[in-house]
Amino acid sequence: DIQMTQSPSSLSASVGDRVTITCRASQSISSYLNWYQQKPGKAPKLLIYAASSLQSGVPSRFSGSGSGTDFTLTISSLQPEDFATYYCQQSYSTPPTFGQGTRLEIK
Amino acid sequence: EVQLVESGGGLVQPGRSLRLSCAASGFTFDDYAMHWVRQAPGKGLEWVSGISWNSGSIGYADSVKGRFTISRDNAKNSLYLQMNSLRAEDTALYYCAKDGGNSAYYPLWSLYYFDYWGQGTLVTVSS
């Protein structure tokens, strides 16, 4: 199975900050990388698919980049509603696997 | 509006069985593969199983292979997960999730990413 490793595991930031979360795959996955946001008690929500494609309805302050083994999720200007846990997930091969999550907290 | 509503969770003893259901609406159900993804309390996400639009292709995580069976009924817009020989480590919130790719446009049976999720149904395996 392909292992996905996110860094950092947790992050404190302030409203208005630019934030970057990194995801690394244990082998090349081309651009088959997706990002999800999960708020407490809620289901995950797809933000980015295919490394850099913004899911419909997701604010443009979210962006994704990368290919091969290294990927990033960037939030250009943090809003209060962005404080949540973020997961990356590879869709290159089965089984699809997720990173361990990055918890984004208010500073 | 896409809606996925899971049901069937509950408290069950180790070794027993449980059947989860997911009722789908707001999209053409038989155009899409569907999946089950679970999340143990306080933990991350784990893909459990997926099924193609016509049930012709099915996949399972190694952790559930031989114990769980996924199925669907396109006439009822419903997805199911039959869980047998349950273990304590199967305790989790089970989410039904829609595949990100329309089977009419892609040669693969699944794109293995999940664009809509239900709210989940909790399965607790304990004596």
Side-chain angles (χ1 to χ4, degrees):
Chain A
D1 298 1
I2 297 175
Q3 306 303 315
M4 307 301 295
T5 303
Q6 292 180 230
S7 60
S9 295
S10 64
L11 173 62
S12 293
S14 301
V15 173
D17 284 355
R18 179 182 180 90
V19 166
T20 297
I21 298 170
T22 296
C23 179
R24 175 164 288 177
S26 60
Q27 66 181 73
S28 177
I29 58 171
S30 185
S31 295
Y32 293 93
L33 191 284
N34 314 293
W35 290 97
Y36 302 85
Q37 176 194 66
Q38 187 178 33
K39 297 181 180 179
K42 300 295 187 182
K45 173 187 174 183
L46 178 67
L47 299 176
I48 302 283
Y49 63 96
S52 60
S53 295
L54 194 68
Q55 173 69 356
S56 176
V58 174
S60 58
R61 62 181 180 272
F62 291 93
S63 64
S65 65
S67 66
T69 60
D70 295 315
F71 302 86
T72 58
L73 173 70
T74 299
I75 309 172
S76 60
S77 178
L78 269 176
Q79 298 302 300
E81 61 268 28
D82 299 337
F83 292 94
T85 299
Y86 293 84
Y87 293 94
C88 64
Q89 176 245 326
Q90 65 83 16
S91 49
Y92 179 78
S93 68
T94 187
T97 47
F98 294 84
Q100 82 280 14
T102 295
R103 186 175 178 180
L104 179 54
E105 301 174 320
I106 301 173
K107 184 182 287 184
Chain B
E1 178 193 6
V2 172
Q3 284 199 316
L4 299 168
V5 180
E6 302 93 336
S7 61
L11 174 63
V12 61
Q13 293 179 327
R16 304 298 290 262
S17 299
L18 209 57
R19 189 193 196 208
L20 306 184
S21 299
C22 171
S25 61
F27 65 102
T28 305
F29 184 69
D30 56 10
D31 273 349
Y32 294 89
M34 295 293 295
H35 302 267
W36 290 98
V37 179
R38 68 184 180 183
Q39 186 170 36
K43 302 297 184 181
L45 300 164
E46 179 189 20
W47 176 80
V48 173
S49 182
I51 185 169
S52 64
W53 69 275
N54 63 353
S55 305
S57 295
I58 286 175
Y60 296 100
D62 285 346
S63 58
V64 306
K65 201 172 293 183
R67 300 187 299 121
F68 289 12
T69 302
I70 192 172
S71 62
R72 65 190 293 163
D73 185 337
N74 288 344
K76 295 183 178 180
N77 286 357
S78 293
L79 176 72
Y80 307 101
L81 187 68
Q82 177 67 42
M83 304 186 296
N84 299 333
S85 304
L86 282 161
R87 306 168 179 167
E89 53 265 36
D90 295 320
T91 294
L93 188 61
Y94 283 73
Y95 293 105
C96 166
K98 173 182 166 290
D99 195 83
N102 187 320
S103 300
Y105 304 131
Y106 296 97
L108 301 175
W109 71 267
S110 170
L111 293 188
Y112 287 113
Y113 73 91
F114 319 110
D115 60 356
Y116 290 93
W117 301 59
Q119 285 306 299
T121 187
L122 182 62
V123 173
T124 303
V125 184
S126 175
S127 54

